[in-house]
Amino acid sequence: MKLLRKILFPMVPIYYAITWCRNILYDFGLKKSTSFDLPVICVGNLSVGGTGKTPMIEYLIRLLKDDYKVATLSRGYKRKTEGFQLADENATAETIGDEPFQFYHKFKNEINVAVDSNRVNGIGQLLKLKHLPEVVLLDDAFQHRKVKAGFNIMLTTYNNPYFKDTVLPTGNLREPRSGAKRAHIIVVTKCPKHMSYYEKVGFLRRINATNDQQVFFSSISYADEVISENAALQLNELKDFALVTGIANASPLIKFLKNKNLKFEHSNFKDHHEFSANDISALESKKLIITTEKDFMRLKQYKSLKDKLFYLPITVSISDGNKFNEAILNFMKSY
């Protein structure tokens, strides 16, 4: 794969030019971008792969849901339905996608969860609901410029920050680095918990934020227990188990479990993997399966795995979290 990316390097200037021109057309109003009369907060990134968008959306849900009627809107990647879908008691990972289903599974009585690849239509449909949302959280829509979000949060990882990367197909960026200037907040995610002051200064210099931008650093915390539909097990109680992941980067999870001196066999699938009958058959032979929450949303439908399937919850902590919260709440108050 790495060799192929190097071979495709001559395509980089072409991809760069196309995405740069597209952004220019939106910047100068030559391509239409629709605004809405309610707060729209976009969470996204410049790169492909996992930067922590789902935990960030959940962070915002928890921050806002007690004071505002919150709706999330996602594309619903790899779902088997089309058009606008509003999650209800019949929703599954297949009907709305694994990440939206995770939002619904956690917050179903507190927020609206919707999917639509056409975000303009999706917000329009949400505004037709009997109980109108007071804020819409757009999941993975930084490049979806047909909607003009009122507030953009851009994520980039500590291990692979956007300023060290280049555009596809050789690099991982969906658009040129200059796209970061559209963000109101830039969050460096998956940082070490004890990131030094000098490291932060180094990142801030490379990001070179404008006067209108704020930069924050966040880290992931793993729980001390794994959870199933109706039970929980302490990590220190776990013996040999099968670790199953279908996410963009499982390295932090693997490192965490190894640091706990846990013994496991890892089955590593690509991001958003659709588990086949053979995959499920192989998993049925395992005594205990630990997976991510996103993968749990896809696997929980298989009754044969019910008593052996657990996931490890994660939470996000943000340095200067009060300042981050204040920025979001001030945006909400502006409406």
Side-chain angles (χ1 to χ4, degrees):
M1 187 65 178
K2 290 182 179 180
L3 177 60
L4 178 60
R5 286 192 164 204
K6 290 180 179 180
I7 293 173
L8 292 174
F9 179 76
M11 298 294 294
V12 167
I14 298 173
Y15 186 92
Y16 184 103
I18 291 172
T19 52
W20 183 82
C21 287
R22 176 180 181 272
N23 280 329
I24 289 295
L25 292 175
Y26 276 110
D27 291 341
F28 285 91
L30 299 175
K31 286 180 73 72
K32 184 181 178 181
S33 187
T34 303
S35 300
F36 292 89
D37 291 329
L38 84 166
V40 176
I41 301 175
C42 170
V43 175
N45 50 24
L46 290 186
S47 65
V48 297
T51 54
K53 295 183 294 295
T54 300
M56 179 56 68
I57 290 285
E58 292 186 357
Y59 183 99
L60 294 173
I61 292 171
R62 292 188 178 96
L63 175 65
L64 298 171
K65 66 182 178 65
D66 291 338
D67 297 310
Y68 300 94
K69 295 175 183 176
V70 177
T72 65
L73 181 62
S74 310
R75 176 176 51 162
Y77 184 61
K78 284 199 172 184
R79 63 188 170 113
K80 296 182 179 179
T81 57
E82 295 182 357
F84 177 81
Q85 299 286 329
L86 184 67
D88 58 21
E89 64 274 8
N90 297 315
T92 66
E94 290 188 343
T95 61
I96 63 173
D98 50 14
E99 289 156 343
F101 187 51
Q102 181 174 323
F103 302 148
Y104 180 73
H105 188 258
K106 279 186 174 178
F107 304 105
K108 56 188 170 186
N109 295 321
E110 302 173 280
I111 68 170
N112 283 318
V113 176
V115 296
D116 197 333
S117 59
N118 183 335
R119 305 309 209 288
V120 175
N121 181 69
I123 296 177
Q125 293 297 320
L126 285 169
L127 293 177
K128 294 178 181 178
L129 297 178
K130 181 179 180 180
H131 301 290
L132 294 178
E134 295 175 318
V135 56
V136 175
L137 304 179
L138 287 183
D139 178 26
D140 194 14
F142 196 68
Q143 285 76 38
H144 195 92
R145 300 195 62 185
K146 290 183 179 180
V147 171
K148 186 175 183 180
F151 202 88
N152 285 303
I153 301 174
M154 195 199 87
L155 311 182
T156 187
T157 62
Y158 171 87
N159 286 326
N160 190 25
Y162 73 94
F163 53 75
K164 290 184 178 180
D165 208 346
T166 188
V167 297
L168 295 163
T170 299
N172 290 311
L173 299 186
R174 298 171 173 176
E175 61 174 296
R177 301 174 191 173
S178 57
K181 298 302 179 184
R182 298 197 306 275
H184 296 86
I185 282 178
I186 297 173
V187 182
V188 183
T189 63
K190 303 182 181 181
C191 297
K193 289 187 177 180
H194 303 292
M195 189 176 178
S196 72
Y197 167 80
Y198 296 102
E199 273 190 292
K200 290 181 179 180
V201 169
F203 269 83
L204 292 172
R205 286 175 179 168
R206 296 294 299 273
I207 290 172
N208 191 26
T210 67
N211 292 333
D212 296 326
Q213 293 179 310
Q214 293 177 280
V215 180
F216 296 90
F217 299 86
S218 72
S219 59
I220 287 176
S221 297
Y222 293 98
D224 292 325
E225 62 180 10
V226 292
I227 298 173
S228 71
E229 287 280 69
N230 48 27
L233 297 173
Q234 295 296 311
L235 284 179
N236 57 17
E237 296 176 359
L238 300 182
K239 304 303 179 183
D240 290 349
F241 59 89
L243 174 66
V244 178
T245 60
I247 56 177
N249 180 15
S251 299
L253 173 58
I254 294 170
K255 182 179 179 181
F256 170 78
L257 294 174
K258 286 185 175 179
N259 286 342
K260 291 284 186 178
N261 296 316
L262 298 173
K263 295 182 180 180
F264 56 90
E265 174 188 329
H266 183 206
S267 295
N268 188 25
F269 298 95
K270 64 181 181 180
D271 198 15
H272 298 280
H273 177 70
E274 293 184 16
F275 292 96
S276 67
N278 288 337
D279 293 333
I280 301 304
S281 179
L283 293 178
E284 287 173 346
S285 66
K286 309 297 182 182
K287 292 183 178 180
L288 178 63
I289 301 168
I290 307 300
T291 189
T292 67
E293 189 170 3
K294 184 171 78 170
D295 295 309
F296 182 84
M297 294 302 128
R298 293 197 300 278
L299 290 169
K300 68 192 288 288
Q301 63 179 303
Y302 299 101
K303 294 181 180 180
S304 59
L305 304 180
K306 181 178 179 181
D307 295 329
K308 62 179 73 176
L309 183 66
F310 292 76
Y311 70 88
L312 180 63
I314 63 172
T315 55
V316 169
S317 58
I318 302 175
S319 64
D320 292 324
N322 289 337
K323 189 176 179 182
F324 177 90
N325 295 351
E326 182 182 9
I328 303 300
L329 295 175
N330 283 342
F331 166 70
M332 294 298 301
K333 291 175 184 176
S334 71
Y335 276 78

